[in-house]
Amino acid sequence: MKKQTLHVSLGLLAVLLLVLIPQYGFAAGDEVAAVLEGAPKPSRLDYPMIWGISGRTVVWSMAQMHLFLAAFVLSVPLFSLATEFMGTVTGDDRFDNMAHEFMKISMAAYSLTALVGGGLTLSLFLFYPQMMGYMLKVFRGQVLVYAALFGFESITLYIYYYSWDALRRGNRKWFHMSIGLTLNTIGLTLMFIANAWATFMMSPAGVDPATGAVTGTIWEVTRNPLWNPLNLHRFLANIAYGGAIVGGYAAYMFLAEKDPVKKAHYDWMGYTSNFIAILGFLPLPFAGYWLMAEIYAYSQQMGITAMGGILAWLFIIQAVLIGTIMMAANYYLWSGLMRTDRGAHYARYVKYIAVVIVGGFLVWVTPHTLLLTSQEIQQLGGTHHKLLGPLGIMPAKNTAVNLMLVFTFMSFQMFYRSSRIPTVSWAKAGNMFIVALYVIGCINIVGAGLYGYITPTVYKVGASVPQVVTTLTIIIGSVIIDVFRLRGSKPETVHWGRMSERSQYALFVLPVAFTWLMGLMGYIRSSLRTHWHVYTIMKDNSAEAYIPTIGQAGNTITAITLGFMAIMVFVFWLSRLGATRQDETEAPS
Amino acid sequence: MLRNKWLALVIGLAFWAAYFYFIDKSIMEGQGLPVAANLMPK
Amino acid sequence: MTFLRVVLFSVAVLLVFTGFANVLPQIQSDPPKEEIIDTGSLDMAGMISLGESLFKGKGTCTLCHNGMGRAPDLLEMNLAETFPERLKDPRYKGVAAGKEGPKAIEEYIHESMVDPSAYVVAGFGKKGTNDTESPMPTINKPPVELNEIEINAVIAFLQDRAGIEPTVPLPSAEDVVVPDESSSEGPDVATTAEDAIDKFGCAACHDLFGSEADTGPPLAGIGKRMSRGDLMDAILYPNDTIAEGYEADIMPQDFAEQMSASELTLIVDYLLNLPE
């Protein structure tokens, strides 16, 4: 027990060092002398032309591919550790086996991440030498810290994976989990550093606004206004993304396996990863909202470019994608009700939830301000449609998204209830208390939406806060009540593997939609800088400084996604290959 | 009392209505947006 | 077999997303062109036209100054009444405080652009600052970066909208904007009137260069019928005045965004000198 405490505290110490006193992690190698030279002003000729290759497309593809892979290899250890912990607490070996299998999948992806990262660095220096020169001048020694951390990340990753069976039981398990904690701390720090580079380009800090000369420390540059919102957003999205990809893997294995025992294992794995994906996904809109609010606070101009300018259409696509993800996740949860005999009892509510989800989705995709041709404006009699106009504005959209989240949570709640029979005497009364919470909560969300609709703009924004709080209250409140309600409940047999083949396709929709959505959001985030390398500091004077059309962007994102899918198939195939053993009796011909 | 589910529903409705009323009011006022009646658009 | 089905399904989902992205309106956003102002030939009507196109285009003013309540709707409100009221507002302590008349209004507008927080109209400040801080970007700084001539043009436009004779100075030869070396290689800007007219395809509808096209009104001798300013307006906002017997909505509405100021000047100069 003492040993265990020691290891945990060692792990915590590492976290403290890197997180609580970030100045040490980030400011290492900082030179006191400020670099007083301003940002370079490259002319078009300073951007190398190499065989007519579109430099931006190369950098775009490399960066996006690196981000896909990195998000995957960062998130897998994260929930691998969580699953390992669950396995230790519950004593259920299935968790531990699954965590090990997760790690096996991510091992091959890890070296590919580094490879693509190298390719990205090379192409950046090749096509944007002046910009990279300036970035190095701004971030100085932090680049070396990044490289060193990357080395540590590799070492801890290999130790974590290869010591799995050696440190599997008892106190050794805690030691193993401390390694996992260190691994995740380093991994997250790596991501936070890379985020600082991306957000510096959007909201530069620590440099002279007129010339771009470096005036602040590395820490001041790192802690620019958009850094923390992006950190949170990417952290949550990584969890959701990793869960979705492993879910896709499990779904494929479920479809491919014939053995009922293995089928049951992969069904359970698919369910668990889907659960992790939804868990990461539910708070994501709020993190996105914070990021957007910070963008507005940093520069109203940039905020409006995103939400009201030419990029506004992209949020329509985003809404379609998120709607697709929600509907797929809900469909999967509903199919899961069939795993228990009790589930059928809940299945009758599914159609009502479906109505709310689809209805909310439709409100959400109703655009508000459209870029219309003058003919279209004449036909509509104004830029806003008379009937659909009110549905397009923020209060209606906020109401819709909050209701969708509440009802997605309800699907999930139905599912976990379907496998437990409560035994406490107040079970029915407790349930009614939760019903009351849902009813009043939904009225409150709709009411706040109406209130936002009839009041001036500041109130519209203000009224969205109670809505979010209501959604969170419903989720947290009913979880707390249910925890007590289901104390000492009788578990109902869950027939893992009793799942339709069709439901597995919902698990493929998730990673495909997530991947494409991430590509789209990356395009939006980069486009917000418009024709600047570093917003308001360093102009992009290359021939490709324009924002491409949605169609062009969509085609590029699809091509990158297809490439990523091909890599994932290869990675999965590799991990299967490692487990295949040639029969010894098979003689060479 | 805790066994009567309809009573629990009524208590629940009243409790959550009061809860959300105070939460909403305090959030709006916390943002410097007093909840007044004369906000209707002209 | 399963593998193939899964791959086909995933690709199909991807294609739906891609297809959706391709059916939405396709707009490419180019970096703003550096306006090269031919300072010798710009009169006040030209300044007002230029100001209007800057207000709606490069200046990005209409992103917020519109009917959505983010900032005062300068294109709709009664500016003739508003400007004097603002000058008299006891909260206003800027450069034009206590003054009256067109010149004071010019100073007031200029200050509001280069130092937006000097005075914030009640209700339009950043949240939580009690109207002491403006959310508006400083107009002569990045990312908007209008130069002094362009700012004057916007002032001229706003003064004109308030029914005041603009008081801003016309650009003189000394003010010639020397474009940055770095930015002069922007999109091709026509340098002769013929090139400019070609570029915007005017001859497709108007009888120019002997095209004998009659979709748009004839332009021969237009210099005798229209003033310089009216002609600029007619190019930038064609629907405002439609020649008898011709239809609205035929001529493109977006020349204000498409043309550089130098191209507009070239075209107008050329048209004004067309013989009858």
Side-chain angles (χ1 to χ4, degrees), chain A residues 425 429 432 444 451 454 459 462, chain B residues 2-3 5 24 31 34 39 41:
Chain A
S425 60
M432 277 304 178
N444 195 43
Y451 184 71
I454 57 167
Y459 283 82
Chain B
L2 273 172
R3 303 225 160 94
K5 65 175 182 177
D24 289 0
Q31 296 181 98
L39 291 168

Side-chain angles (χ1 to χ4, degrees), chain A residues 223-503:
Chain A
R223 230 201 59 199
N224 59 68
L226 298 182
W227 186 50
N228 270 324
L230 190 73
N231 283 344
L232 179 70
H233 198 60
R234 281 191 167 168
F235 171 71
L236 293 172
N238 275 359
I239 295 177
Y241 188 53
I245 290 185
V246 176
Y249 167 80
Y252 175 73
M253 298 302 283
F254 178 86
L255 292 177
E257 282 291 349
K258 296 281 171 279
D259 177 11
V261 178
K262 287 198 169 152
K263 246 182 146 63
H265 167 71
Y266 286 114
D267 183 23
W268 179 79
M269 184 172 177
Y271 163 73
T272 313
S273 358
N274 183 59
F275 173 67
I276 294 170
I278 299 303
L279 209 62
F281 180 73
L282 284 180
L284 210 47
F286 307 123
Y289 188 84
W290 183 37
L291 176 60
M292 213 57 225
E294 288 297 319
I295 288 177
Y296 266 98
Y298 167 71
S299 158
Q300 183 145 7
Q301 179 99 7
M302 191 184 254
I304 295 171
T305 304
M307 304 302 288
I310 70 151
L311 293 172
W313 277 107
L314 290 160
F315 286 89
I316 306 286
I317 308 186
Q318 186 209 21
V320 169
L321 279 153
I322 293 180
T324 310
I325 289 170
M326 279 203 174
M327 288 196 271
N330 274 290
Y331 179 75
Y332 181 76
L333 284 171
W334 299 335
S335 306
L337 291 174
M338 295 303 135
R339 290 197 194 104
T340 55
D341 301 326
R342 242 173 99 79
H345 166 76
Y346 289 100
R348 60 197 159 121
Y349 298 116
V350 162
K351 50 183 176 292
Y352 304 111
I353 300 183
V355 167
V356 175
I357 302 264
V358 173
F361 174 66
L362 290 177
V363 171
W364 203 12
V365 298
T366 308
H368 175 228
T369 320
L370 299 184
L371 297 156
L372 298 162
T373 65
S374 50
Q375 282 89 344
E376 283 169 328
I377 291 176
Q378 276 174 356
Q379 280 169 5
L380 267 177
T383 48
H384 302 351
H385 192 278
K386 276 193 192 65
L387 294 174
L388 295 180
L391 293 180
I393 60 172
M394 281 319 282
K397 287 192 195 308
N398 287 336
T399 308
V401 75
N402 278 293
L403 287 179
M404 282 169 84
L405 288 175
V406 166
F407 280 84
T408 302
F409 174 75
M410 192 195 268
S411 290
F412 171 71
Q413 194 178 22
M414 280 181 358
F415 177 79
Y416 75 65
R417 281 182 171 199
S418 73
S419 62
R420 290 167 185 87
I421 307 163
T423 52
V424 289
S425 60
W426 50 277
K428 282 203 164 133
N431 185 47
M432 277 304 178
F433 201 65
I434 295 177
V435 169
L437 170 58
Y438 268 99
V439 170
I440 300 287
C442 290
I443 292 175
N444 195 43
I445 289 174
V446 174
L450 286 174
Y451 184 71
Y453 175 61
I454 57 167
T455 49
T457 309
V458 274
Y459 283 82
K460 285 191 200 328
V461 181
S464 67
V465 182
Q467 289 185 316
V468 172
V469 172
T470 310
T471 303
L472 293 176
T473 308
I474 293 177
I475 293 176
I476 297 168
S478 46
V479 166
I480 292 175
I481 298 171
D482 261 351
V483 163
F484 289 106
R485 226 182 120 257
L486 294 173
R487 252 196 192 168
S489 61
K490 275 190 292 183
E492 168 105 356
T493 333
V494 181
H495 304 277
W496 292 108
R498 194 162 91 181
M499 203 57 177
S500 66
E501 296 227 323
R502 198 186 295 162
S503 66

